[in-house]
Amino acid sequence: MRVSVIGLGNMGRPIAGNLLAAGFDVTVWNRTPERARELVARGATHARSVADAAQSGLVVTMLSDDRALEHVVFAERLIEALPQGAIHVSMSTISLALAERLTADHDRHGTDFVSAPVFGRPEMAAAAKLFVVASGPQAALDRCDPLFAAVGQRTFRFGDAPRAATLIKLSGNFLLAAAIESLAEAIALVRKTGVDPHAYVEMLTSTLFAAPAYKTYSGLIADERYHPAGFRLPLGLKDVTLALEAGRDLRAPLPVASVVRDHMIAALAQGFEDADWSVLGKLAAKNAGLP
Amino acid sequence: MRVSVIGLGNMGRPIAGNLLAAGFDVTVWNRTPERARELVARGATHARSVADAAQSGLVVTMLSDDRALEHVVFAERLIEALPQGAIHVSMSTISLALAERLTADHDRHGTDFVSAPVFGRPEMAAAAKLFVVASGPQAALDRCDPLFAAVGQRTFRFGDAPRAATLIKLSGNFLLAAAIESLAEAIALVRKTGVDPHAYVEMLTSTLFAAPAYKTYSGLIADERYHPAGFRLPLGLKDVTLALEAGRDLRAPLPVASVVRDHMIAALAQGFEDADWSVLGKLAAKNAGLP
Amino acid sequence: MRVSVIGLGNMGRPIAGNLLAAGFDVTVWNRTPERARELVARGATHARSVADAAQSGLVVTMLSDDRALEHVVFAERLIEALPQGAIHVSMSTISLALAERLTADHDRHGTDFVSAPVFGRPEMAAAAKLFVVASGPQAALDRCDPLFAAVGQRTFRFGDAPRAATLIKLSGNFLLAAAIESLAEAIALVRKTGVDPHAYVEMLTSTLFAAPAYKTYSGLIADERYHPAGFRLPLGLKDVTLALEAGRDLRAPLPVASVVRDHMIAALAQGFEDADWSVLGKLAAKNAGLP
Amino acid sequence: MRVSVIGLGNMGRPIAGNLLAAGFDVTVWNRTPERARELVARGATHARSVADAAQSGLVVTMLSDDRALEHVVFAERLIEALPQGAIHVSMSTISLALAERLTADHDRHGTDFVSAPVFGRPEMAAAAKLFVVASGPQAALDRCDPLFAAVGQRTFRFGDAPRAATLIKLSGNFLLAAAIESLAEAIALVRKTGVDPHAYVEMLTSTLFAAPAYKTYSGLIADERYHPAGFRLPLGLKDVTLALEAGRDLRAPLPVASVVRDHMIAALAQGFEDADWSVLGKLAAKNAGLP
């Protein structure tokens, strides 16, 4: 089964690698072609262009943001190059507005657009343990099933409107950001009476909040370990902004996201550009007058 | 080992029952004595007064709020009645200010004050599966260990300042409220594109948010099942208010708690006095224009 | 006409002075009697006790907070000492709950409670230029008219429920705090592009916002002149908290007040205890990364 | 003196009219040319195209939003058509990002970009009573002085960076929105005790808040007179969003703007698309459970 992967960043590379490992006939393309070297050594074909990559008929894009995906789709003309009946699977976190536009554009062109963003960090991608959230035409999703199975531990389907999966991914990142901010405030509060933050988060995450997200982020905040960043603050702000824009367009206010956004901006203003987005913990500590 | 339990509400009764079952010599007291009947039938002694109950030397109070505890301690003169070296274990959720005042008052009187609030609902209390968060003088905590073991599945100690445990309980309830509000907003958002909320929360709680708190509350919101209330909205508002007052007194702002508080007040203004505090889900849906 | 003034702080002293100047037969009382000296030199009588002061039949209280007024009313037994038909005029900013309690207590005792808080700073009090907001039984308000005329430039009546005037005063202080916070954010924003804040606020306050409140506070923020405090930050936090508590009790959320409260707490945590409440301007500047 | 006016909406028409009245040689252009008829009858020339209008060397644009201005500048090629040394005066409320881009583009082309947004509603435009906030190269501002004098009552200059005036306009609209929201909350609060909102706002606006903005908006809220809209809610949301985006790009959080934005979205979700932006008063009333 042929598949192309466009975008070989921290997520795209392990995804392409797992597809190779699962026996797919993989073509890759990246703006800076050096990133493709190791995959080519393992058997992948390097496309000369986006249009070339489109010939496989099943194209995965995994790019950093709307702008990068727009470049591939519009400037590099992905849609025009896709054969009739081909599928474009967008695995990036993109805006609701772009998902809607791409749905219409592919539809007009006689190709299918599938939105299939993933939850999971690069380590989980490498281990083929991503969670895939997919929506799009049912037949297209069926064709993608082996692909999803090769890169993730479980696929969740959300109907035939591609924007649903896009929105769910944005809402999930909002929920992560909300959990980080809430933990940041709670940890700063208890630290004011001298409570050991490690003991505190150990209690939380072995009782009510025994969830991966809470373990990861409460640990980073208790440790004040904001570097190196697993997910940089500006990326966090980008995603929370996309959630808020989706909320505005759909007429659904997200007041907790607004609080998070304001704090992210304050943290950036104070120089935490390169920190992990859990640096909200440091901002909360500063606001509480902690050293 | 003798122990008295003052306050036989939804939590106090199962706690006293588990102490009986564990072989403690249990004395009970409740303002409305009918509540004691079943425990007396099982072997508990009914004290004629708070002062009478105080004679056991180890007194647990489990009351609904500051006012009820103040009544027992000041109007019914618990502290004066305690023998030298006795321990008062407060398991209720109370204000930081009252915890500080009781610490000083017991200290002056030559008795020990232990703060040991619990996480868990009445079913967990009945099953002796509570989580106990305890702080106070170390020797007193040691003496309480068998008591905690009889009512809970695990005890977390937080040093010798009683207010620490009180604050941690308040912060935990704040985190629950923050999770409810965040879920309420996220679920309203995805519903605006027609996503099935049950499928959505099933995805969330089997991936990033596989925690008891998220399962319980996202389920209630997806089901729009706000009655009967497991924890009534006015009680939720009381606890979030106590967290905010603690934050004010300690100089630690809690902006997410402020958002939750504002929404709880709006929900009460709109008539949800008897609903579960997860009715924040209904408020978020109304704010998003959902039917 | 006889009148007693209890509480001779920055506001009570000029109010008593203006009553003397207007020909009233003035009795004064203050916990620290030195504060009365100058007024006595000008013809006032110093009461030996609150009960003594109550004999005038028309008693003004102007105290710093609920606690001080509760002390005068309950510990010093003002109500019991008032003759039948006497009037107690509370000019302090107090809680809605205390206004309600005092209304009921005076009613039971056969005396009238009038709530008549004022807008205006000490200079305005000295110049008899206060704005008086009054509510209470109509006949009592009529009797107070000469008193209000002697201390203020205008009296606004709000019906016969004393709590109305109390609430209006709290809402007015909330609106001031909201204006300060909004200006703080706007000024920090424009400073980020190098706009001169003085030119900016001169424009605002000579166009859309040509109001005394905006002139005063935008000037302080543009000048970064937070000392000496005209109104100290902890007092501002107290009043915003009273507004929020009134909103909670009446079921009316005040989200902007919540934002202000969080920022005031953060400013206090960062050491601005002695600054004017316009120091919210400094907090906004810090949050924007300004030096 | 020749001048062209592009955009003949509710603001552009009276501006062009006042320029005619002041003796300018006025050329006009509008996408729907009918709007120009009355001005042509009074002596204006109707340009056949944007490029044609550009020939006057002094071009005012007064358009509804970024998109409309981008259309004129990029699709209709305004910049290319401007003679060397010409001036483009943008009087619309636009984004900070577009102001920055236009500054660079005009600079490259050898023409001057002046940002000169105005405060004032159509009646004030008709009466030549606008307030003009202008920034740009000093010589260009000097050349524009007679133009500004013909349309406004006062011009405020803010240096040579065009984005300054753009940002100041956005910040001013934010301050208006913040005042509306604060009034909405305060009025809902006092209404909960039966206070007459008209008496309340009369008191506010004759004392601390005796400013045009407070008079206008508190009156609309007290009257619950949200139609016809002086400034429609979606336009208010657009401007608050532009202020927030500017704050994000400049790293200056605006938490009060975030609260306003959330409430505007909730009001839109509940069907107030055609209401004046003061309809925030209705939302606050609903949140307080008022009928």
Side-chain angles (χ1 to χ4, degrees), chain A residues 25-46:
Chain A
D25 176 359
V26 179
T27 297
V28 295
W29 187 87
N30 196 62
R31 209 169 35 157
T32 48
E34 297 73 33
R35 285 263 172 98
R37 207 167 296 161
E38 194 220 325
L39 290 161
V40 169
R42 291 173 57 196
T45 305
H46 191 261

Side-chain angles (χ1 to χ4, degrees), chain D residues 16-24 26 42:
Chain D
N18 285 325
L19 290 169
L20 276 174
F24 282 79
V26 179
R42 291 173 57 196

Side-chain angles (χ1 to χ4, degrees), chain A residues 13-24 42 124-129 150-151:
Chain A
R13 277 203 311 278
I15 284 172
N18 284 324
L19 290 169
L20 276 173
F24 282 80
R42 291 173 57 196
M124 287 172 75
K129 293 282 189 199
V151 305

